[in-house]
Amino acid sequence: MADLGEFAPAQPALYTGKGDSGRTTFGRHGDVAKTDVRVAAYEACDEANAAVSLAMAAGGLPIEVTSTLASAQNDLFDLVADLSVPLDDPEPAPARIRESHLVRLERAVDHFAQQAADLSGFVLPGGTVAAALLYQARGVVRRAERAVWVAIDLHPTSVDPLTARYLNRLSSLMFVLARGANAEHGDVMWVPEASARAMAQEEVGDDRPETGAGGA
C-alpha cells in the first residue's frame, strides 16, 4: 500500500534565516529589500485581512455580514497575489483584481447602507463591539490603501491600480457595516470642541461669586 504522505505537499520551513539580511524574495519581483514599498503594501493588506477576521470572529455579526466579509477576505488574497506578480509580467498571475471585484463590493455597500438607515454626520468609532471592530478594520484597510498607492506611484508599470481601488471600496463597506452594527443602539455623534466648551463652562461657573444667606 502506498504511503499517503508522499502525495501531500511538502511542509514549508518555519524559519530559514534567508531574510536575516533584511532582504526577501517577493513573488516574481525577485530579491528586494524588506523595506521596499511593494513589500510594505503586501504586508499592510495582510494586516487588513487579519483585522477583518477579528471583526468576524469577535463581533457576533449576522451571517449575512460574515459571509460578505469572508468573501472580502478571499478577495484580499487575490489582491496580495496580484501585488506579488508585476503587472507587466509575461506569465499570468494566480489571481488579479478585476472590475468585477469592485462591482460586487459596490453592490454590497449599497445593500448594507440601507440597513444603516442614517449615514449623515460624523460619528465616533465605537458603540457595540461589532461596530468598534469594524471601525478598526476600516482604519487598517485605509492604511493599506495608502501603502498600495505609494507602491503604484513608485512602480506604475508593475503595480496594479485596481488593487488600491478595491481597498477604497472595502473601506466604504467597513463603514456602512459599522453604522449598521450600531443601528439598534445608535451612534455616538462627534460634537466639535465638546471638551473645550465643557471646560469653558466649568471655568465660568468657578468664577461666579458666592452668595451668603444672611445680611449684616
Side-chain angles (χ1 to χ4, degrees):
M1 181 180 292
D3 180 5
L4 295 179
E6 67 182 88
F7 299 106
Q11 291 295 319
L14 297 180
Y15 55 88
T16 64
K18 293 181 179 179
D20 291 350
S21 64
R23 302 191 67 81
T24 187
T25 300
F26 179 47
R28 294 189 207 156
H29 295 276
D31 181 73
V32 298
K34 289 187 174 182
T35 53
D36 188 290
V37 294
R38 294 165 294 183
V39 177
Y42 179 103
E43 296 298 341
C45 293
D46 188 40
E47 183 183 1
N49 207 338
V52 172
S53 76
L54 181 59
M56 293 171 62
L61 296 164
I63 186 63
E64 182 184 27
V65 175
T66 56
S67 296
T68 300
L69 292 176
S71 177
Q73 281 198 297
N74 198 80
D75 289 350
L76 286 170
F77 258 77
D78 289 345
L79 193 150
V80 294
D82 192 330
L83 293 175
S84 300
V85 179
L87 195 59
D88 51 3
D89 193 287
E91 296 296 323
R96 291 285 188 196
I97 292 297
R98 307 186 185 281
E99 287 287 349
S100 56
H101 285 87
L102 275 70
V103 170
R104 289 187 68 233
L105 267 191
E106 289 167 357
R107 289 175 179 173
V109 170
D110 292 340
H111 172 73
F112 288 108
Q114 297 175 16
Q115 299 181 12
D118 181 14
L119 294 174
S120 63
F122 294 95
V123 298
L124 303 182
T128 63
V129 172
L133 292 170
L134 288 164
Y135 278 125
Q136 182 182 43
R138 179 191 183 221
V140 179
V141 169
R142 292 182 69 165
R143 184 168 69 246
E145 181 196 350
R146 293 193 299 272
V148 172
W149 278 120
V150 171
I152 292 168
D153 288 344
L154 294 179
H155 300 275
T157 62
S158 63
V159 182
D160 187 356
L162 278 177
T163 57
R165 290 175 56 195
Y166 179 88
L167 293 166
N168 183 270
R169 299 296 187 282
L170 183 58
S171 69
S172 297
L173 176 63
M174 294 297 107
F175 177 72
V176 297
L177 289 177
R179 296 294 295 262
N182 276 343
E184 182 178 351
H185 303 283
D187 290 298
V188 179
M189 306 303 294
W190 171 54
V191 180
E193 299 185 353
S195 59
R197 293 181 181 184
M199 180 64 74
Q201 291 176 353
E202 290 178 3
E203 291 175 350
V204 169
D206 291 342
D207 290 341
R208 291 175 183 171
E210 295 183 1
T211 57

